Amino acid sequence: MKYRPADVALAVKRLQHRHHRALSRALAPLGLSLVQWDTLRHLYRKPDASLHDLAVLTFQTDQSFGSLAVRMADRGLIERAPGPGRAVRHRLTEEGERLRVAGQEAVDTVIVTSFQSLTAEQLDLLGGLLDTVLGPDPTV
């Protein structure tokens, strides 16, 4: 065996850390943090998502995401509305959508550059292997 599981796990973490740093730099001119852009992306895909759903999708605690959502609403990026029971629902504003689109362009550039040394076949293989390891996504 050429790669031990611990070595592969570390390589995945290193790549994720590299992406995080590069994405943070790419989004900074838009005035967005990575978690803010990720929130806009998830709200585009899942309008009216609850605070808890968005916290899970963005790898935040409910409390941390609640603070973030208030700041994003104050900036006019998202709207917050009462939902059923104690739930709060969230939606993109026009400004949030504008920044989501601009952020997506920046993110795409970083990600394409990151994987440019792989052939299409290698990228498909890597994606398939990661799908196998991750299994079904319980948040979908």
Side-chain angles (χ1 to χ4, degrees):
M1 178 180 336
K2 183 175 178 181
Y3 297 101
R4 295 178 310 142
D7 297 330
V8 174
L10 181 58
V12 168
K13 181 63 179 173
R14 289 180 63 210
L15 180 60
Q16 185 264 340
H17 188 255
R18 180 185 297 171
H19 283 162
H20 188 105
R21 287 190 331 263
L23 293 170
S24 293
R25 283 191 304 272
L27 293 167
L30 299 173
L32 291 174
S33 68
L34 181 53
V35 71
Q36 288 171 329
W37 177 81
D38 200 27
T39 298
L40 299 175
R41 175 177 65 142
H42 286 299
L43 277 176
Y44 175 75
R45 293 177 177 172
K46 191 174 180 179
D48 292 322
S50 71
L51 184 140
H52 176 73
D53 290 343
L54 290 167
V56 169
L57 290 167
T58 59
F59 305 101
Q60 306 291 309
T61 64
D62 287 4
Q63 183 178 359
S64 295
F65 189 82
S67 297
L68 176 69
V70 167
R71 290 191 310 274
M72 290 180 74
D74 289 346
R75 262 186 80 187
L77 303 179
I78 65 173
E79 296 173 342
R80 299 176 49 138
R86 294 181 7 191
V88 176
R89 300 292 175 194
H90 300 82
R91 283 198 187 123
L92 290 175
T93 62
E94 285 183 28
E95 178 64 3
E97 174 61 8
R98 184 187 73 74
L99 287 174
R100 182 198 67 79
V101 169
Q104 185 66 59
E105 292 172 11
V107 167
D108 288 347
T109 299
V110 168
I111 298 302
V112 166
T113 301
S114 177
F115 290 107
Q116 71 185 359
S117 64
L118 298 179
T119 66
E121 293 79 18
Q122 289 172 322
L123 190 59
D124 284 343
L125 177 61
L126 178 58
L129 292 170
L130 290 171
D131 283 347
T132 299
V133 170
L134 292 169
D137 185 351
T139 62
V140 175

